[in-house]
Structure formats: C-alpha cells, structure tokens
Amino acid sequence: MKLAGRVSQVSPSLTLAIAAKAKAMKAEGIDVCSFSAGEPDFPTPEHICAAAKQALDEGKTRYGPAAGEPQLRKAIAKKLQIHNNLDYQAENIIVTNGGKYSLYNFIQAFIETGDEVIIPAPYWLSYPEMVKLADGKPVIVNTWAENNYRITPEQLKQAITPQTKLFILNSPSNPTGTVYTPEEIRTLAKIIIDHDLWVVSDEIYENILYDDMKHLSIGAVSPEIFERTVTCNGFAKSYSMTGWRIGYAAAPVEIIKAMTKIQGHSTSNVCTFAQYGAIAALESSQACVKEMLAAFAQRREVIYQGIQGIPKLNCPKPDGAFYVFVDISATGLKSLEFCDRLLESQQVAAIPGIAFGADNCIRLSYATDMQTIKKGLERLDKFVNYLS
Ligand code: GLU
C-alpha cells in the first residue's frame, strides 16, 4: 500500500499520544501522575450540560447549517464585541469541531504551495503540521526563556520574505504560558500591516490569565489589522468542555464563506445539541470560569515553587494558560529520553519539548488536581536527584 506523501510530512500528535498512554496506564491500575494533555480536570459546569440535555430532549438531533447554529453564531459575535472589542457579526463566525479545526480549516482555506507562515517557537505542536498539510512552509523563529519566550519585533521583521503570508500568534501561549502585553501586540500589529501580512490569533487561553495580566485581541488594535485578522477560539479550556469539540473562527465574510465550503465537504456541522450547551456557556453567568481560574492560580503557585526547588530544573513563571515549560538542559538529557525515563521509572507523564520545537525543555500541564501535582513534583524531584 502506498499512502499519500502528505502523511509522511507530518508527525503524530504527541500531546494526544502521551495523554492516551497515561490514561491507559491508569485504567490498568497504575498510579500515574499525568501532566500531559492540557485538559482541565473539572466536570463541565452543570448548567451547560443541562442546556445540551434539554436540546437533546427537544429533538435537536438533526443536521444543522455547516457554519453553525444561527443562535450560537450570534452569541459568539456578541461575546467578541463585548469582551474583545471586535466588531464581528454572526456572518463573520464559523463554529468548528474544536478550536483545533478552526485553525486547520482556516489554513486549508488560506495557504497554498510555497506560502510561508511565521511561527514563533516554542509553538503548539499542531501549527507547523497544519501548515505542511496545506503545502505551505512553516518558518520557525526561536524565542528564549530570557525574553519570556516572546518574539521580538526585529525577529518578526527578519523572518518576513516576499513569500510570507501569515503570522501565527498564540497569547496566552501553549506551551510556555507567555502573555504578550498590549503594547507588544500593538507593535506586532503594525509590522503585520506594514508588510501586508495576515495574522491568525489563537485565543483559546484568553480567560486563563494570572495576576494583573491583560488580554488584548490583536484584531481590536485598529481597523487596518482587524481586516487581516482571523480570531480562533473555543470552549474547551475556559468552560472545561474538551470532549465537546466546539470551537470557532471569526474573520472577514469571504474567509468564513471559504471555510464553510471546506466544512461542508469535511466535518459538516458540529454536533447540533452540543452547540446548545455552548450557547448556555456564553449566555449564563461566567462565575464558573472565575472559579476554575482561581484553582489554576493556586496550582500554578505550587508547581512553579516546586520546580524552583528541584535542582537542575528551571522555568519562567507562566502569566497565563496552565502549563510550565521547564528547562531540563542541566540534566544532560534530551526531552524525549527525559520523558520516557520519567514515565517508566516514576510513572509521571510529561510532554517532551521537542514536540513544541524546544528539545531542552519539557511541558507540564497543571490542569490537574493538587494532590497529583504534589505527588508528581515529589516523583520528579526523586527522578532528577537519581540522575545526578
Ligand atoms: N491543546 C491541548 C494540549 O496541548 C490538547 C491536546 C491537543 O489537542 O494537542 O495539550
């Protein structure tokens, strides 16, 4: 059998693979501490489940419009107007199968052979693979812990060529937890406009911000950048709805029409009754989002302090999202070997930094309960001490 060449261009998703392995080990009765997938451990809030159950009882079980239920598209547009200062209407919204498919679909609609896409590293592992699957060329720009993993204006300018079409911005960032300040976002926006590029802004972690950090949607900076921005987001992280697979993109109508065409031939509509849960998530009290954030904030303190206490490990304090990106260079191990041996010897699951373009680091997700965090840190400490 000869598979299509595009399959060999991409790697399997390590986040999903390691998370699945950790879950399988747990199911076998092994006491695993999993810091693998970025998946909040809270149940989806009851009122969101109730709305989906009601929709199911009301028979909302049929095909719906490929771009999403009109009521949900309207609710998303309203949320973006009020919370993000983005002047989108329902026609500017497409509901997708998770935030991931909003990015995949947009890249399919926008990128073709030879187009260059600038991606700051460390990056969420699916970005370069999505670009390759569209025959585009990912242009990786390395950023460093000393600069809190931010791309500088100079770095961005230097990476631009006549083939550059798109810049991928992810703030708060997976895997580093970096949050760009409003001033930095404005500077990036100006470069994007000056060089006639587009930006896709992955804002899936926008509600998971610590201390006094502020989220600015790049599309809200000016009318010029708004016209060349695609804003992607979803319900998984803010509302603990990972398995529901509901995300969205907001963009100029022409882009939404193109994405709807692709969706019509690929996934069709997102599960109809699930979309009613998403409507309830947006239209009800946001107290649940704040409660989960308070728990993440406590966990962040514990995991960050814990890492500082382990010799040879180091990480910047994350300003957002629920990951610490830990530098392991002083252990002398590369990230894959570190994670394999950690899982094997201490039953602690972590994601090797090589998946995110940084082989000197590992990613720990603290979207897990405090007991697991404390136990996992003890095991990690033991592992690193055993290495020395
Ligand atoms: N985005 C999450 C993560 O990075 C979920 C897994 C995935 O979709 O890659 O862990």
Side-chain angles (χ1 to χ4, degrees), residues 134-158:
D135 283 339
K137 181 175 167 210
V139 175
I140 306 300
V141 178
N142 289 315
T143 67
W144 314 107
E146 297 70 47
N147 192 32
N148 214 353
Y149 293 114
R150 292 175 168 96
I151 189 170
T152 65
E154 292 68 36
Q155 280 184 303
L156 177 57
K157 280 188 221 160
Q158 271 167 18

mmCIF file of all heavy atoms in Angstrom, residues 134-158:
data_model
loop_
_atom_site.group_PDB
_atom_site.id
_atom_site.type_symbol
_atom_site.label_atom_id
_atom_site.label_comp_id
_atom_site.label_asym_id
_atom_site.label_seq_id
_atom_site.Cartn_x
_atom_site.Cartn_y
_atom_site.Cartn_z
ATOM 1 N N ALA A 134 -1.154 21.853 4.307
ATOM 2 C CA ALA A 134 -1.694 22.742 3.270
ATOM 3 C C ALA A 134 -0.632 23.051 2.214
ATOM 4 O O ALA A 134 -0.804 23.983 1.425
ATOM 5 C CB ALA A 134 -2.193 24.031 3.910
ATOM 6 N N ASP A 135 0.495 22.281 2.250
ATOM 7 C CA ASP A 135 1.609 22.501 1.310
ATOM 8 C C ASP A 135 2.325 23.824 1.525
ATOM 9 O O ASP A 135 3.043 24.302 0.634
ATOM 10 C CB ASP A 135 1.148 22.436 -0.160
ATOM 11 C CG ASP A 135 0.942 21.008 -0.607
ATOM 12 O OD1 ASP A 135 1.520 20.113 0.033
ATOM 13 O OD2 ASP A 135 0.181 20.802 -1.570
ATOM 14 N N GLY A 136 2.098 24.455 2.664
ATOM 15 C CA GLY A 136 2.805 25.703 2.974
ATOM 16 C C GLY A 136 4.128 25.398 3.652
ATOM 17 O O GLY A 136 4.470 24.239 3.907
ATOM 18 N N LYS A 137 4.875 26.474 3.941
ATOM 19 C CA LYS A 137 6.183 26.296 4.566
ATOM 20 C C LYS A 137 6.193 26.974 5.929
ATOM 21 O O LYS A 137 6.092 28.213 6.006
ATOM 22 C CB LYS A 137 7.251 26.919 3.641
ATOM 23 C CG LYS A 137 8.646 26.760 4.174
ATOM 24 C CD LYS A 137 9.664 27.281 3.155
ATOM 25 C CE LYS A 137 11.011 27.405 3.846
ATOM 26 N NZ LYS A 137 11.849 28.452 3.293
ATOM 27 N N PRO A 138 6.301 26.167 7.017
ATOM 28 C CA PRO A 138 6.398 26.806 8.338
ATOM 29 C C PRO A 138 7.771 27.450 8.492
ATOM 30 O O PRO A 138 8.783 26.809 8.210
ATOM 31 C CB PRO A 138 6.259 25.631 9.324
ATOM 32 C CG PRO A 138 6.093 24.392 8.515
ATOM 33 C CD PRO A 138 6.334 24.704 7.078
ATOM 34 N N VAL A 139 7.804 28.702 8.889
ATOM 35 C CA VAL A 139 9.082 29.385 9.150
ATOM 36 C C VAL A 139 9.162 29.585 10.658
ATOM 37 O O VAL A 139 8.407 30.377 11.237
ATOM 38 C CB VAL A 139 9.139 30.741 8.399
ATOM 39 C CG1 VAL A 139 10.405 31.513 8.766
ATOM 40 C CG2 VAL A 139 9.063 30.501 6.898
ATOM 41 N N ILE A 140 10.038 28.810 11.278
ATOM 42 C CA ILE A 140 10.086 28.783 12.748
ATOM 43 C C ILE A 140 11.081 29.832 13.247
ATOM 44 O O ILE A 140 12.222 29.877 12.799
ATOM 45 C CB ILE A 140 10.522 27.376 13.239
ATOM 46 C CG1 ILE A 140 9.619 26.278 12.634
ATOM 47 C CG2 ILE A 140 10.553 27.315 14.756
ATOM 48 C CD1 ILE A 140 8.162 26.362 12.955
ATOM 49 N N VAL A 141 10.628 30.650 14.179
ATOM 50 C CA VAL A 141 11.503 31.673 14.772
ATOM 51 C C VAL A 141 11.663 31.326 16.253
ATOM 52 O O VAL A 141 10.682 31.316 17.004
ATOM 53 C CB VAL A 141 10.876 33.086 14.626
ATOM 54 C CG1 VAL A 141 11.768 34.125 15.290
ATOM 55 C CG2 VAL A 141 10.655 33.413 13.158
ATOM 56 N N ASN A 142 12.909 31.030 16.654
ATOM 57 C CA ASN A 142 13.126 30.608 18.041
ATOM 58 C C ASN A 142 13.078 31.780 19.009
ATOM 59 O O ASN A 142 13.648 32.834 18.747
ATOM 60 C CB ASN A 142 14.485 29.916 18.174
ATOM 61 C CG ASN A 142 14.450 28.560 17.504
ATOM 62 O OD1 ASN A 142 13.511 27.788 17.675
ATOM 63 N ND2 ASN A 142 15.455 28.272 16.697
ATOM 64 N N THR A 143 12.399 31.574 20.124
ATOM 65 C CA THR A 143 12.386 32.578 21.198
ATOM 66 C C THR A 143 12.953 31.915 22.444
ATOM 67 O O THR A 143 13.011 30.673 22.517
ATOM 68 C CB THR A 143 10.969 33.102 21.482
ATOM 69 O OG1 THR A 143 10.186 32.021 22.038
ATOM 70 C CG2 THR A 143 10.296 33.623 20.225
ATOM 71 N N TRP A 144 13.353 32.736 23.426
ATOM 72 C CA TRP A 144 14.113 32.208 24.557
ATOM 73 C C TRP A 144 13.497 32.576 25.898
ATOM 74 O O TRP A 144 12.835 33.604 26.022
ATOM 75 C CB TRP A 144 15.559 32.727 24.497
ATOM 76 C CG TRP A 144 16.118 32.603 23.112
ATOM 77 C CD1 TRP A 144 16.347 33.627 22.239
ATOM 78 C CD2 TRP A 144 16.425 31.377 22.405
ATOM 79 N NE1 TRP A 144 16.808 33.128 21.041
ATOM 80 C CE2 TRP A 144 16.876 31.752 21.111
ATOM 81 C CE3 TRP A 144 16.386 30.025 22.727
ATOM 82 C CZ2 TRP A 144 17.265 30.823 20.146
ATOM 83 C CZ3 TRP A 144 16.782 29.102 21.773
ATOM 84 C CH2 TRP A 144 17.214 29.493 20.516
ATOM 85 N N ALA A 145 13.798 31.715 26.894
ATOM 86 C CA ALA A 145 13.273 31.936 28.240
ATOM 87 C C ALA A 145 13.682 33.306 28.772
ATOM 88 O O ALA A 145 12.891 33.984 29.442
ATOM 89 C CB ALA A 145 13.765 30.831 29.178
ATOM 90 N N GLU A 146 14.901 33.760 28.446
ATOM 91 C CA GLU A 146 15.402 35.056 28.962
ATOM 92 C C GLU A 146 14.467 36.194 28.536
ATOM 93 O O GLU A 146 14.351 37.204 29.211
ATOM 94 C CB GLU A 146 16.811 35.379 28.422
ATOM 95 C CG GLU A 146 17.908 34.401 28.844
ATOM 96 C CD GLU A 146 17.779 33.031 28.182
ATOM 97 O OE1 GLU A 146 17.579 32.976 26.954
ATOM 98 O OE2 GLU A 146 17.858 32.008 28.901
ATOM 99 N N ASN A 147 13.833 36.022 27.387
ATOM 100 C CA ASN A 147 12.900 37.043 26.892
ATOM 101 C C ASN A 147 11.456 36.589 27.121
ATOM 102 O O ASN A 147 10.534 37.017 26.434
ATOM 103 C CB ASN A 147 13.168 37.296 25.399
ATOM 104 C CG ASN A 147 12.450 38.517 24.894
ATOM 105 O OD1 ASN A 147 12.267 39.470 25.647
ATOM 106 N ND2 ASN A 147 12.017 38.495 23.648
ATOM 107 N N ASN A 148 11.302 35.691 28.085
ATOM 108 C CA ASN A 148 9.987 35.123 28.391
ATOM 109 C C ASN A 148 9.285 34.577 27.138
ATOM 110 O O ASN A 148 8.066 34.683 27.002
ATOM 111 C CB ASN A 148 9.116 36.136 29.131
ATOM 112 C CG ASN A 148 8.217 35.448 30.129
ATOM 113 O OD1 ASN A 148 8.158 34.209 30.168
ATOM 114 N ND2 ASN A 148 7.503 36.212 30.920
ATOM 115 N N TYR A 149 10.062 34.002 26.252
ATOM 116 C CA TYR A 149 9.549 33.333 25.054
ATOM 117 C C TYR A 149 8.671 34.229 24.187
ATOM 118 O O TYR A 149 7.644 33.803 23.673
ATOM 119 C CB TYR A 149 8.791 32.065 25.437
ATOM 120 C CG TYR A 149 9.660 30.985 26.032
ATOM 121 C CD1 TYR A 149 9.498 30.589 27.357
ATOM 122 C CD2 TYR A 149 10.646 30.368 25.279
ATOM 123 C CE1 TYR A 149 10.298 29.584 27.919
ATOM 124 C CE2 TYR A 149 11.449 29.378 25.829
ATOM 125 C CZ TYR A 149 11.267 28.992 27.136
ATOM 126 O OH TYR A 149 12.055 28.019 27.674
ATOM 127 N N ARG A 150 9.083 35.504 24.046
ATOM 128 C CA ARG A 150 8.336 36.397 23.147
ATOM 129 C C ARG A 150 9.146 36.633 21.885
ATOM 130 O O ARG A 150 10.348 36.861 21.962
ATOM 131 C CB ARG A 150 8.134 37.758 23.808
ATOM 132 C CG ARG A 150 7.210 37.743 24.984
ATOM 133 C CD ARG A 150 7.228 39.146 25.567
ATOM 134 N NE ARG A 150 6.162 39.304 26.521
ATOM 135 C CZ ARG A 150 6.318 39.145 27.827
ATOM 136 N NH1 ARG A 150 7.477 38.817 28.329
ATOM 137 N NH2 ARG A 150 5.287 39.315 28.645
ATOM 138 N N ILE A 151 8.478 36.634 20.752
ATOM 139 C CA ILE A 151 9.156 37.031 19.517
ATOM 140 C C ILE A 151 9.346 38.547 19.577
ATOM 141 O O ILE A 151 8.434 39.269 19.993
ATOM 142 C CB ILE A 151 8.358 36.588 18.262
ATOM 143 C CG1 ILE A 151 9.179 36.799 16.990
ATOM 144 C CG2 ILE A 151 7.016 37.273 18.149
ATOM 145 C CD1 ILE A 151 8.563 36.170 15.740
ATOM 146 N N THR A 152 10.534 39.026 19.190
ATOM 147 C CA THR A 152 10.755 40.479 19.212
ATOM 148 C C THR A 152 10.338 41.057 17.862
ATOM 149 O O THR A 152 10.306 40.341 16.846
ATOM 150 C CB THR A 152 12.245 40.812 19.450
ATOM 151 O OG1 THR A 152 12.989 40.324 18.329
ATOM 152 C CG2 THR A 152 12.767 40.192 20.732
ATOM 153 N N PRO A 153 10.063 42.355 17.822
ATOM 154 C CA PRO A 153 9.699 42.984 16.542
ATOM 155 C C PRO A 153 10.792 42.753 15.496
ATOM 156 O O PRO A 153 10.489 42.482 14.331
ATOM 157 C CB PRO A 153 9.568 44.468 16.892
ATOM 158 C CG PRO A 153 9.285 44.488 18.359
ATOM 159 C CD PRO A 153 9.957 43.289 18.954
ATOM 160 N N GLU A 154 12.063 42.816 15.916
ATOM 161 C CA GLU A 154 13.181 42.624 14.968
ATOM 162 C C GLU A 154 13.150 41.205 14.408
ATOM 163 O O GLU A 154 13.343 40.989 13.213
ATOM 164 C CB GLU A 154 14.544 42.860 15.655
ATOM 165 C CG GLU A 154 14.810 44.295 16.057
ATOM 166 C CD GLU A 154 13.891 44.772 17.184
ATOM 167 O OE1 GLU A 154 13.572 43.961 18.080
ATOM 168 O OE2 GLU A 154 13.469 45.948 17.139
ATOM 169 N N GLN A 155 12.932 40.236 15.277
ATOM 170 C CA GLN A 155 12.880 38.837 14.809
ATOM 171 C C GLN A 155 11.769 38.658 13.785
ATOM 172 O O GLN A 155 11.957 37.964 12.781
ATOM 173 C CB GLN A 155 12.634 37.889 15.993
ATOM 174 C CG GLN A 155 13.857 37.578 16.825
ATOM 175 C CD GLN A 155 13.498 36.564 17.890
ATOM 176 O OE1 GLN A 155 12.594 36.774 18.698
ATOM 177 N NE2 GLN A 155 14.183 35.438 17.890
ATOM 178 N N LEU A 156 10.613 39.240 14.072
ATOM 179 C CA LEU A 156 9.493 39.083 13.138
ATOM 180 C C LEU A 156 9.852 39.710 11.793
ATOM 181 O O LEU A 156 9.690 39.075 10.738
ATOM 182 C CB LEU A 156 8.210 39.710 13.724
ATOM 183 C CG LEU A 156 6.988 39.677 12.807
ATOM 184 C CD1 LEU A 156 6.644 38.258 12.370
ATOM 185 C CD2 LEU A 156 5.759 40.313 13.481
ATOM 186 N N LYS A 157 10.397 40.911 11.841
ATOM 187 C CA LYS A 157 10.740 41.597 10.572
ATOM 188 C C LYS A 157 11.744 40.779 9.773
ATOM 189 O O LYS A 157 11.624 40.653 8.558
ATOM 190 C CB LYS A 157 11.320 42.982 10.876
ATOM 191 C CG LYS A 157 10.257 44.019 11.193
ATOM 192 C CD LYS A 157 10.893 45.392 11.287
ATOM 193 C CE LYS A 157 10.291 46.160 12.432
ATOM 194 N NZ LYS A 157 11.094 47.267 12.918
ATOM 195 N N GLN A 158 12.752 40.239 10.493
ATOM 196 C CA GLN A 158 13.796 39.476 9.792
ATOM 197 C C GLN A 158 13.266 38.213 9.123
ATOM 198 O O GLN A 158 13.806 37.742 8.129
ATOM 199 C CB GLN A 158 14.903 39.082 10.769
ATOM 200 C CG GLN A 158 15.974 40.150 10.858
ATOM 201 C CD GLN A 158 16.894 39.935 12.031
ATOM 202 O OE1 GLN A 158 16.943 38.821 12.577
ATOM 203 N NE2 GLN A 158 17.584 40.973 12.444
#
